[in-house]
Amino acid sequence: MTSKKNERQTWSSKLTYILTVAGATVGFGATWRFPYLVGEHGGGAYVLLFCVAMILIGIPMILVENVIGRRLRVNSIDAFGDKLQDKNISKYWKILGYTGLLGAFGIMAYYMVLGGWVINYIVGLISGELDISAPITKEIAQHFYTSSVTQSPLRIACYTFTFVVVNYIILAKGIIGGIERSVKYLMPLLFIFLIGMVIRNITLPGAMEGITYYLKPDFSKITPSLFIMVLGQVFFALSLGFGVLITLSSYLSKEENLIQTAVITGFTNTLIAVLSGFMIFPSLFTFGIAPNAGPTLVFQSLPMVFSHLWAGTFFAVIFFALLLIAALTTSITIYEAIITALQEKLKMRRSKAIALTLGTIFLFGNIPAILSDNLLKEVRFFGRNIFDSFDYISGNILFLLTALGCAVFVGFVLKDKAKAELSNKPDSLFTNLWFNYVKFVVPLIIIVIFISNLA
């Protein structure tokens, strides 16, 4: 294991690591899920609680996974192994690594399909099949969604496969040559597109009503159940419990400041999520479209919005390209968590590990998810179709159990080793506050979220 740790690559700079982690955590969680949840649950009230939750659970848990990942600088399964004071850590702790990767499979099963949907919209807009050069009705937007997404499984399968191939090309070049180099270009492009869309929307006539809805909290809507829901969204938004942050931090050098990078990661994720709202809500209110459309907000409501804008097709293509970039920066890192484990646990060649990971998820995850609204619509788990079941099981069960185990592992197994890994001043006030908070408070918060989600 020592030689493996010594041979392991490290990120070329702190900036590239931060950009990669930011890419891993923004994804559809910030650009698709966050806006529609804001629309469904009270606008500014949800935004306020999200910012609070990022501080209460997000950043502390980023540090937990960073500590676990960098300690041994190995894959997200073996990260729970080794010795403490010449005593082996129980092999059963490695179960946490497996549950995280199983959850990663579940998330990628439907996540890649969403990427296929986005490509479908980009092609539809460019080809004119979805013609928004003039204002369209709700029925037209809904018809395109139904005919080209839910009722066209072969089409979506082809677009999903295209998205998988793009991921394959990047992953084949390695963690540094592929992922790091791609993110260096993709994340700045994401920010440019995002800022451009925000400027376009906040300058619309009537945009202030949407901004007010988005930023001004209605405190009567802030309830314990909503706060618990927001805490759960932070786990999804930050890719916590996936094994992703453990894997990415395993490529960090021992000299890097974990506290600084965790704070920057949490801030960046929050910033992009909040900016995504500015990209959406002003335009919804300008054209009188309800913000509470749920998961279909991006795919059915926003095309109506763009159809009212000058150069609407151009801005719609930019918007969906932004979603695709965000999805790509996340998908390559989630795949990488599984690929790294296969390489190191089974001594598998990288090319074979990539093909096995992407191929298995495509056949046994993506295809069933695509067929869940048509050929397999009668197949239900927990009262949900296959697509929603992948989301529910991974996001509400596997990730939370993994995150809970990580907090307990740091607090009750690593103990002083965790503090020493976090900071070169293990007895500092911040380090002790973080450690005791993770040891005693964070597990309780996760248990509450878990019970609430199951209920």
Side-chain angles (χ1 to χ4, degrees), residues 115-132:
W117 291 8
V118 173
I119 295 174
N120 172 60
Y121 269 76
I122 293 173
V123 173
L125 288 163
I126 294 174
S127 68
E129 183 182 359
L130 178 57
D131 186 0
I132 59 171

Side-chain angles (χ1 to χ4, degrees), residues 112 161-182 186 328 331-332 335-336 339 350-351 354-355 358:
M112 299 304 289
F161 182 74
T162 301
F163 191 42
V164 172
V165 170
V166 173
N167 278 262
Y168 179 89
I169 293 170
I170 295 173
L171 290 164
K173 296 179 180 179
I175 188 80
I176 304 300
I179 294 178
E180 181 184 280
R181 187 171 298 172
S182 299
L186 290 172
L328 179 60
S331 60
I332 54 177
Y335 275 141
E336 183 60 40
I339 292 164
R350 182 170 180 84
S351 58
I354 295 171
L358 276 60

Side-chain angles (χ1 to χ4, degrees), residues 270-290:
T270 305
L271 176 64
I272 292 177
V274 171
L275 284 175
S276 295
F278 279 107
M279 179 175 62
I280 291 172
F281 290 102
S283 58
L284 289 177
F285 279 81
T286 294
F287 300 110
I289 297 173

Side-chain angles (χ1 to χ4, degrees), residues 78-373:
D78 290 330
F80 294 94
D82 207 33
K83 296 181 178 181
L84 289 175
Q85 297 175 342
D86 296 326
K87 182 180 179 182
N88 288 327
I89 295 174
S90 171
K91 63 182 180 181
Y92 294 109
W93 283 105
K94 292 186 180 182
I95 292 173
L96 293 175
Y98 288 106
T99 58
L101 295 184
L102 185 60
F105 173 93
I107 211 80
M108 294 305 286
Y110 78 89
Y111 198 93
M112 299 304 289
V113 177
L114 286 174
W117 291 8
V118 173
I119 295 174
N120 172 60
Y121 269 76
I122 293 173
V123 173
L125 288 163
I126 294 174
S127 68
E129 183 182 359
L130 178 57
D131 186 0
I132 59 171
S133 58
I136 63 173
T137 63
K138 179 180 179 181
E139 288 70 29
I140 292 175
Q142 188 173 12
H143 173 73
F144 179 80
Y145 175 81
T146 302
S147 63
S148 69
V149 175
T150 60
Q151 295 179 358
S152 298
L154 180 59
R155 176 175 178 165
I156 296 301
C158 290
Y159 288 139
T160 301
F161 182 74
T162 301
F163 191 42
V164 172
V165 170
V166 173
N167 278 262
Y168 179 89
I169 293 170
I170 295 173
L171 290 164
K173 296 179 180 179
I175 188 80
I176 304 300
I179 294 178
E180 181 184 280
R181 187 171 298 172
S182 299
V183 169
K184 271 200 247 184
Y185 295 103
L186 290 172
M187 285 306 292
L189 187 60
L190 174 71
F191 273 105
I192 291 170
F193 282 179
L194 184 57
I195 296 299
M197 290 298 299
V198 169
I199 293 172
R200 179 70 186 92
N201 282 335
I202 65 175
T203 55
L204 290 169
M208 188 51 65
E209 185 181 354
I211 294 173
T212 301
Y213 170 83
Y214 183 54
L215 292 184
K216 185 177 180 181
D218 180 351
F219 290 100
S220 67
K221 294 183 178 180
I222 296 179
T223 62
S225 61
L226 178 61
F227 190 42
I228 292 170
M229 180 188 300
V230 174
L231 288 167
Q233 164 60 13
V234 168
F235 277 84
F236 184 90
L238 289 173
S239 300
L240 297 172
F242 295 30
V244 173
L245 295 186
I246 292 175
T247 301
L248 295 182
S249 58
S250 73
Y251 293 91
L252 268 177
S253 74
K254 292 291 186 178
E255 286 70 42
E256 290 292 350
N257 186 320
L258 292 184
I259 298 172
Q260 187 181 77
T261 55
V263 171
I264 294 173
T265 299
F267 175 79
T268 303
N269 183 278
T270 305
L271 176 64
I272 292 177
V274 171
L275 284 175
S276 295
F278 279 107
M279 179 175 62
I280 291 172
F281 290 102
S283 58
L284 289 177
F285 279 81
T286 294
F287 300 110
I289 297 173
N292 58 348
T296 62
L297 175 69
V298 164
F299 296 101
Q300 293 189 38
S301 298
L302 287 185
M304 296 163 56
V305 169
F306 288 117
S307 72
H308 287 84
L309 294 178
W310 172 81
T313 301
F314 170 77
F315 285 107
V317 170
I318 293 297
F319 171 77
F320 282 107
L322 183 155
L323 291 188
L324 194 64
I325 292 170
L328 179 60
T329 59
T330 300
S331 60
I332 54 177
T333 53
I334 299 178
Y335 275 141
E336 183 60 40
I338 303 173
I339 292 164
T340 300
L342 287 176
Q343 282 184 268
E344 296 181 359
K345 294 294 291 180
L346 302 180
K347 310 302 180 186
M348 192 178 291
R349 292 194 323 273
R350 182 170 180 84
S351 58
K352 185 177 180 180
I354 295 171
L356 180 62
T357 300
L358 276 60
T360 300
I361 292 175
F362 183 76
L363 291 175
F364 298 103
N366 301 156
I367 295 300
I370 290 167
L371 298 176
S372 64
D373 277 330

